[in-house]
C-alpha cells in the first residue's frame, strides 16, 4: 500500500532545493532556529502534497493550492481544494439526462468526432426504428449510465484517500519538529456532485506523529499504523 523507498527518495530530492533556499543566514538569532526549522519542514511537506495532487489520477486541483498552518495545541495542518476527476464531465452527464447521448462522425481525413446528438438526430433515430415512444429504453440507458458514473466516482474517491494514507506513511515522520502527541493532518475541501449527493464537503485524514515515527522505525507495522489514522468526513 505504501510507496517504495525509491519514490520517497525521488520526491524528497525534488523538494530539497526548496528546503535549502529557505535556510536563514547563520547570524540570525539562535533562539528562532526551532521556528525556522518548523517552517522549512512545513514548506517541504506542502510541496510534497502539491506534487501528489497534481500527479493524482483521482483529483482535479490547482497547482500550488496547498496551504499549511501550525497549531501548537494540535500540530501541523495541510489543506487543499479539489474535485474528483470524473466530476469534470458534467456536460456528458447533462446530455444523457436529456436522453440525447452522442453520435459518432468519421471525417474523410480519418478523424473521429464524438458529437452530442441534437433533436434532428433523435427524430431520425425514431423514424428508422419505427418506434416514437421508446422513453423506457432511454430512461434505462440514463439510469445505467448514472449507476456506472456513481460507481466510478466512488472508486476515484477511495483511491484518492488511499493516496493520502500512503503519503502520511511515507513522509509524515519527516516533520521532526513536532512534539510527541501532536498530529499531522491533511484536510480536503471538496466540490462536485459526488460530495453534494453525499452531503459532505470536507475530508480530514490525521495521524499521531508518534505512530508515524514508530512506523518509520519499523516498530509499528503498516496495517496497525493505517488503523490508527483517523478519517473524518463532514
Amino acid at each position: 500500500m505504501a510507496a517504495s523507498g525509491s519514490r520517497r527518495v525521488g520526491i524528497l530530492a525534488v523538494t530539497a532545493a526548496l528546503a535549502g533556499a529557505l535556510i536563514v543566514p547563520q547570524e540570525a538569532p539562535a533562539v528562532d532556529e526551532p521556528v525556522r526549522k518548523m517552517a522549512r519542514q512545513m514548506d517541504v511537506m506542502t510541496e510534497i502534497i502539491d506534487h501528489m495532487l497534481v500527479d493524482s489520477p483521482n483529483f482535479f486541483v490547482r497547482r500550488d493550492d496547498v496551504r499549511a498552518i501550525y497549531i501548537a495545541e494540535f500540530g501541523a495542518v495541510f489543506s487543499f481544494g479539489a474535485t474528483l476527476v470524473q466530476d469534470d464531465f458534467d456536460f456528458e452527464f447533462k446530455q444523457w439526462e436529456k436522453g440525447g447521448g452522442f453520435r459518432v462522425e468519421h471525417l474523410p481525413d480519418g478523424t473521429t468526432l464524438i458529437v452530442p446528438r441534437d433533436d434532428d438526430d433523435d427524430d431520425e433515430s425514431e423514424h428508422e426504428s419505427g418506434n416514437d415512444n421508446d422513453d423506457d429504453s432511454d430512461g434505462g440507458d440514463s439510469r445505467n449510465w448514472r449507476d456506472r458514473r456513481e460507481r466510478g466516482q466512488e472508486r476515484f474517491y477511495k483511491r484518492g484517500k488511499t493516496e493520502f494514507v500512503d503519503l502520511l506513511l511515507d513522509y509524515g515522520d519527516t516533520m521532526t519538529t513536532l512534539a510527541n502527541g501532536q498530529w499531522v493532518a491533511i484536510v480536503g475541501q471538496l466540490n462536485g456532485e459526488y460530495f453534494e449527493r453525499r452531503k459532505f464537503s470536507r475530508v480530514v485524514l490525521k495521524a499521531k506523529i508518534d505512530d508515524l515515527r514508530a512506523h518509520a522505525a519499523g516498530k509499528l507495522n503498516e496495517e496497525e499504523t493505517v488503523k490508527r489514522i483517523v478519517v473524518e468526513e463532514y
Side-chain angles (χ1 to χ4, degrees):
M1 182 177 185
S4 66
S6 61
R7 191 182 80 174
R8 171 180 174 136
V9 171
I11 296 182
L12 288 177
V14 171
T15 57
L18 174 66
L22 293 171
I23 295 177
V24 178
Q26 292 183 355
E27 60 267 26
V31 69
D32 292 335
E33 178 57 28
V35 176
R36 293 198 304 274
K37 187 173 182 180
M38 170 70 75
R40 290 198 298 269
Q41 290 184 352
M42 293 187 71
D43 285 338
V44 171
M45 190 67 164
T46 296
E47 285 292 308
I48 292 172
I49 296 173
D50 186 66
H51 280 294
M52 189 222 81
L53 285 167
V54 170
D55 293 338
S56 173
N58 302 297
F59 292 114
F60 270 133
V61 297
R62 293 192 303 267
R63 184 179 289 277
D64 299 325
D65 187 50
V66 183
R67 298 291 180 265
I69 187 171
Y70 172 72
I71 304 173
E73 297 79 9
F74 179 84
V77 180
F78 303 88
S79 65
F80 67 95
T83 186
L84 292 178
V85 168
Q86 205 172 27
D87 272 348
D88 264 29
F89 297 99
D90 289 337
F91 178 75
E92 177 187 359
F93 179 72
K94 289 173 183 176
Q95 289 300 317
W96 274 106
E97 282 286 277
K98 294 176 183 178
F102 296 87
R103 58 186 169 86
V104 179
E105 291 184 0
H106 300 284
L107 303 183
D109 64 356
T111 302
T112 299
L113 297 178
I114 300 177
V115 183
R117 292 195 313 196
D118 53 29
D119 294 336
D120 291 336
D121 294 323
D122 291 336
D123 291 340
E124 291 176 7
S125 176
E126 288 173 357
H127 287 307
E128 290 173 0
S129 66
N131 185 357
D132 294 338
N133 297 302
D134 199 21
D135 292 339
D136 291 340
S137 176
D138 289 342
D141 288 343
S142 180
R143 283 191 297 274
N144 290 337
W145 188 90
R146 279 172 176 268
D147 292 342
R148 289 195 302 271
R149 178 181 174 83
E150 186 168 347
R151 288 194 298 270
Q153 290 170 330
E154 183 74 19
R155 286 194 298 271
F156 280 124
Y157 181 53
K158 286 183 177 179
R159 291 170 183 170
K161 287 193 291 186
T162 298
E163 287 187 275
F164 286 116
V165 170
D166 289 344
L167 188 145
L168 287 169
L169 293 176
D170 290 339
Y171 306 109
D173 66 294
T174 63
M175 297 293 301
T176 61
T177 49
L178 290 180
N180 290 339
Q182 290 187 308
W183 297 83
V184 179
I186 300 175
V187 181
Q189 303 179 55
L190 309 170
N191 296 293
E193 62 166 305
Y194 175 82
F195 304 108
E196 292 173 0
R197 196 163 53 242
R198 281 160 177 72
K199 301 187 185 307
F200 72 89
S201 60
R202 301 288 187 276
V203 60
V204 179
L205 295 95
K206 59 183 182 181
K208 287 276 191 180
I209 190 63
D210 313 60
D211 295 334
L212 298 176
R213 288 169 180 163
H215 171 68
K219 299 177 181 179
L220 193 64
N221 65 39
E222 181 175 308
E223 182 179 0
E224 183 59 32
T225 308
V226 171
K227 288 180 181 179
R228 298 187 184 190
I229 294 177
V230 180
V231 180
E232 301 172 345
E233 298 167 336
Y234 60 90

